[in-house]
Amino acid sequence: MTHGCLKCLKYTMCVANFLCFMCGVAVLGFGVFMMVNFKVTHSLTPTLANLNLANMLLISGIIISCVSFLGFLGALKENRCLLMTFFLMLFFLLVVELTAACLLLLYEHDIADWVESDLNKGLKEAKGNHTDVFRSEWDLVQKTFDCCGVHNASDWGDNVPVSCCLNDCTGSQIPKYRSTGCLDKMRSWFEENFLNTGISIIVLCIIEVLGMCFAMTLFCHISRSGLGYKL
């Protein structure tokens, strides 16, 4: 009976980690696709210039693929070394996620002030460059969040982009701009999705804890039975 349960646990780990590995490869591939096909400027947040969506997808895909591959191979081959490495990597990721969540809660106001300062810096750089390519990120954000500038349209001065317009800015009519700044819109969006984000983090932590429990259970069984590779 016990042997059957452990065999079921082994193949459950194999299937779960294989699915996670495929998801990681898909995320990695999508990140490469975005990096190759979309030219990204960094005028929105200059300080976080290298943390664009494509790079974040690449990093996430690599981490998911490597960790899940270790879990899959360790369970399939009943390799104690790989199972322990899988357990330690999950534990490290769990600690990093919980630490980041705590820091975000503790320094919420400082982070908000820093984001505002960085957005102002990015908008200042965008104002000094009149090419559409350089403003692509601001145009995307302003159209997506139905906003204009950091606080309002006056942030752009006399060079308000078309993405701020509510009517035809190129015609003879007096242009009407979006009244709400992107900082307030983004803050409202994060507040509205705070619960969903929290639930996602909790679910991710539960999955990681289950993976750690499964790996340690299989590791202990292999140690007691004398099977698998030694550490």
Side-chain angles (χ1 to χ4, degrees):
M1 181 67 179
T2 304
H3 181 73
C5 291
L6 289 170
K7 189 174 182 181
C8 178
L9 177 62
K10 169 185 173 178
Y11 288 112
T12 299
M13 275 194 66
C14 289
V15 172
N17 280 289
F18 178 76
L19 293 176
C20 289
F21 176 78
M22 296 305 296
C23 291
V25 171
V27 171
L28 179 61
F30 188 61
V32 173
F33 173 79
M34 288 191 63
M35 182 173 289
V36 172
N37 292 278
F38 295 95
K39 181 177 178 62
V40 181
T41 61
H42 305 304
S43 58
L44 189 63
T45 51
T47 305
L48 299 178
N50 294 322
L51 291 182
N52 55 64
L53 182 59
N55 288 341
M56 291 177 67
L57 289 174
L58 281 173
I59 295 171
S60 300
I62 291 172
I63 293 174
I64 294 171
S65 300
C66 292
V67 174
S68 57
F69 180 75
L70 282 175
F72 171 78
L73 196 60
L76 183 66
K77 297 295 184 180
E78 295 187 358
N79 188 310
R80 294 170 59 195
C81 182
L82 290 178
L83 286 172
M84 180 56 69
T85 305
F86 175 70
F87 174 87
L88 292 175
M89 291 186 72
L90 282 182
F91 178 76
F92 175 74
L93 290 174
L94 183 63
V95 171
V96 170
E97 290 164 6
L98 293 177
T99 302
C102 292
L103 290 176
L104 286 174
L105 291 175
L106 288 174
Y107 298 99
E108 180 181 357
H109 296 291
D110 294 334
I111 293 173
D113 294 337
W114 174 79
V115 170
E116 181 179 0
S117 174
D118 211 37
L119 285 174
N120 282 319
K121 188 187 300 183
L123 187 138
K124 184 178 180 180
E125 292 181 2
K127 284 167 62 177
N129 193 303
H130 302 283
T131 59
D132 292 335
V133 174
F134 196 81
R135 289 189 178 181
S136 61
E137 287 188 3
W138 274 102
D139 290 334
L140 177 62
V141 169
Q142 289 176 156
K143 290 178 180 178
T144 302
F145 289 95
D146 190 23
C147 59
C148 183
V150 178
H151 300 98
N152 49 54
S154 63
D155 294 334
W156 287 101
D158 297 329
N159 191 23
V160 182
V162 178
S163 58
C164 280
C165 297
L166 291 173
N167 59 357
D168 187 8
C169 289
T170 59
S172 58
Q173 298 179 350
I174 299 175
K176 293 182 181 180
Y177 303 120
R178 308 178 198 275
S179 58
T180 309
C182 292
L183 181 64
D184 291 335
K185 284 284 189 175
M186 292 171 71
R187 184 183 290 116
S188 299
W189 184 84
F190 281 114
E191 289 175 354
E192 291 172 359
N193 292 273
F194 182 79
L195 179 61
N196 294 332
T197 303
I199 292 174
S200 300
I201 294 174
I202 292 173
V203 170
L204 180 61
C205 290
I206 292 174
I207 292 174
E208 289 174 348
V209 170
L210 287 175
M212 291 166 59
C213 293
F214 287 178
M216 188 52 63
T217 302
L218 194 57
F219 175 87
C220 293
H221 167 67
I222 295 171
S223 300
R224 286 196 301 266
S225 61
L227 299 175
Y229 296 98
K230 303 295 183 183
L231 282 172

